[in-house]
C-alpha cells in the first residue's frame, strides 16, 4: 500500500518525512532505522538534528543500519557513506555509534561480509523503518535495473547512469568507485515501514514508473507497489509527470 505525501518544496517535504521518523522513535524508542545517503535525505537529517538540539527527540536506544557503501572506500574517506552519516546525523545526536551499522567498504571477503550484514539485520529483529531515495534509473539502495530482483546484501557494479549522477560528489566520474555493497531487494521488502523521498523534476519519470508502472526488475523501485506500508514524500516537481 503506497501513501503519497505531497509538499510544495524540499524543505516542507523533509519536515514531513522527518515527522514520520520522529513518530517511529516515539512509538518504539529502541527501533531499528534503515538509513540512506545521497541528496534526498539531507533535509530530513537536518530536521532530526534540530529536533534533537531542541530536546524533542532521543536517539539513546535507536539502532541504525545503512543501505549501502562504496566498495574500496574506508569510513574516513569524505565520500564514503559512513562519513556522510557521521557528518549529517550521527555526530549531532545522541545515537550510540557502536549501534550504527554501514556495510564495510574495505571488506576483503565480500561474500562473508554481505552474509554477515544480512545476519546482523536478522539479529536486530529486522528493520522497523527504512528510508530510501530513488535513482534516475529507478534504483533503490544500489539495486540497479537488471533481470531479477536481488535478495540479500551483495556487491553491485554501478551503472554508468549512477556513476554519472554521483560524480557530483567526487573530483570526476573516474573517481567514483565502480562497485558498492548494497542491501538487496529482499532486505528492503522485509522492513516494516518504508519512507521514500524524491525531490526535483529529474526524479519525476523514475518515480512515476515506480509507483504506477509494471512491477519489473528493470525498475527496481516498482516492487514497492507490493509492500504493505510505503510512505512516499515528494515535492511538486517530483510528481510533475
Ligand atoms: C543512497 C542510496 C541511493 C540513493 C539514490 C538517490 O544510500 O541508496 O539509492 O538514494 O541514488 O540519490 P540522491 O538522493 O542523491 O538523488
Amino acid at each position: 500500500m503506497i501513501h503519497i505525501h505531497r509538499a510544495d518544496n524540499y524543505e516542507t517535504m523533509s519536515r514531513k518525512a522527518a515527522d514520520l521518523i520522529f513518530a517511529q522513535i516515539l512509538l518504539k524508542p529502541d527501533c531499528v532505522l534503515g538509513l540512506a545517503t545521497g541528496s534526498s535525505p539531507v533535509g530530513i537529517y537536518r530536521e532530526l538534528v534540530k529536533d534533537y538540539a531542541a530536546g524533542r527527540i532521543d536517539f539513546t536506544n535507536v539502532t541504525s543500519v545503512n543501505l549501502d557503501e562504496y566498495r574500496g572506500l574506508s569510513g574516513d574517506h569524505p565520500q564514503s557513506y559512513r562519513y556522510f552519516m557521521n557528518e549529517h546525523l550521527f555526530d549531532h545526536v545522541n545515537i550510540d555509534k557502536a549501534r550504527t551499522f554501514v556495510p564495510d567498504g574495505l571488506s576483503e571477503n565480500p561474500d562473508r561480509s554481505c552474509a554477515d550484514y544480512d545476519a546482523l539485520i536478522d539479529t536486530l529483529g529486522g528493520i522497523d523503518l527504512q528510508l530510501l531515495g530513488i535513482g534516475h534509473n529507478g534504483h533503490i539502495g544500489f539495486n540497479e535495473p537488471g533481470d531479477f530482483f536481488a535478495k540479500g546484501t551483495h556487491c553491485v557494479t554501478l551503472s554508468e547512469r549512477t556513476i554519472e549522477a554521483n560524480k557530483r560528489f567526487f573530483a570526476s566520474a573516474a573517481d567514483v568507485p565502480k562497485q558498492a555493497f548494497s542491501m538487496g531487494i529482499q532486505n528492503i521488502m522485509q522492513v516494516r515501514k518504508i519512507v521514500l523521498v524524491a525531490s526535483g523534476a529529474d526524479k519525476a519519470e523514475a518515480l512515476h514508473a515506480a509507483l504506477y508502472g509494471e512491477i519489473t526488475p528493470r525498475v527496481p523501485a516498482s516492487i514497492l507497489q507490493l509492500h504493505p506500508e510505503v510512505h512516499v514524500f515528494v515535492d511538486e516537481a517530483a510528481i510533475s509527470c
Side-chain angles (χ1 to χ4, degrees), residues 10 35-42 45 66-69 81 84-85 130-143 162 165-166 168-169 182 188 197-199 202-203:
Y10 179 78
L35 299 177
T37 61
S39 308
S40 307
V42 167
Y45 296 144
N66 261 76
L67 277 170
D68 41 22
E69 179 60 282
Y81 286 171
F84 175 102
M85 289 310 305
Q130 177 66 55
L131 183 55
L132 296 176
I134 182 169
H136 297 115
N137 59 6
H139 75 212
I140 44 177
F142 272 136
N143 293 278
T162 298
N166 288 4
R168 66 192 194 278
F169 300 113
S182 176
I188 294 171
V197 269
S199 160
D202 57 315
K203 293 292 174 72

Side-chain angles (χ1 to χ4, degrees), residues 9 27 29 34 54 71 81 89 95 97 106 121 128 141 186 197 206 215 218 221 224 237:
N9 53 47
L27 178 74
R71 185 171 186 187
Y81 286 171
L89 184 66
I95 198 164
K97 275 213 190 152
L106 294 184
I121 295 170
D128 291 299
Q186 187 173 32
V197 269
I215 297 171
R218 301 263 157 224
L224 299 178

Side-chain angles (χ1 to χ4, degrees), residues 3-84:
H3 308 264
I4 299 187
H5 307 256
R6 300 172 75 128
D8 289 342
N9 53 47
Y10 179 78
E11 284 67 34
T12 319
M13 177 196 81
S14 301
R15 183 62 245 172
K16 284 175 177 240
D19 282 339
L20 207 143
I21 297 172
F22 188 121
Q24 173 67 59
I25 298 173
L26 290 186
L27 178 74
K28 189 176 174 195
D30 60 347
C31 62
V32 178
L33 297 180
L35 299 177
T37 61
S39 308
S40 307
V42 167
I44 298 176
Y45 296 144
R46 197 181 303 130
E47 291 302 313
L48 291 174
V49 168
K50 271 196 230 159
D51 287 332
Y52 172 72
R56 293 191 285 257
I57 190 170
D58 180 13
F59 288 83
T60 307
N61 295 312
V62 171
T63 299
S64 72
V65 278
N66 261 76
L67 277 170
D68 41 22
E69 179 60 282
Y70 286 118
R71 185 171 186 187
L73 298 194
S74 70
D76 52 15
H77 188 291
Q79 261 64 49
S80 73
Y81 286 171
R82 160 60 72 183
Y83 192 98
F84 175 102

Side-chain angles (χ1 to χ4, degrees), residues 50 63 68 92 153-154 193 214 223 227 237:
K50 271 196 230 159
T63 299
D68 41 22
H92 310 291
T153 306
H154 58 296
K193 193 180 295 168
E214 183 192 352
I223 200 168
H227 191 280

Side-chain angles (χ1 to χ4, degrees), residues 111-157:
D111 288 347
R112 163 65 77 82
S113 47
C114 288
D116 286 351
Y117 208 67
D118 290 343
L120 166 76
I121 295 170
D122 280 350
T123 309
L124 293 172
I127 296 170
D128 291 299
L129 182 153
Q130 177 66 55
L131 183 55
L132 296 176
I134 182 169
H136 297 115
N137 59 6
H139 75 212
I140 44 177
F142 272 136
N143 293 278
E144 299 284 34
D147 295 333
F148 57 88
F149 292 113
K151 290 201 292 182
T153 306
H154 58 296
C155 181
V156 191
T157 296

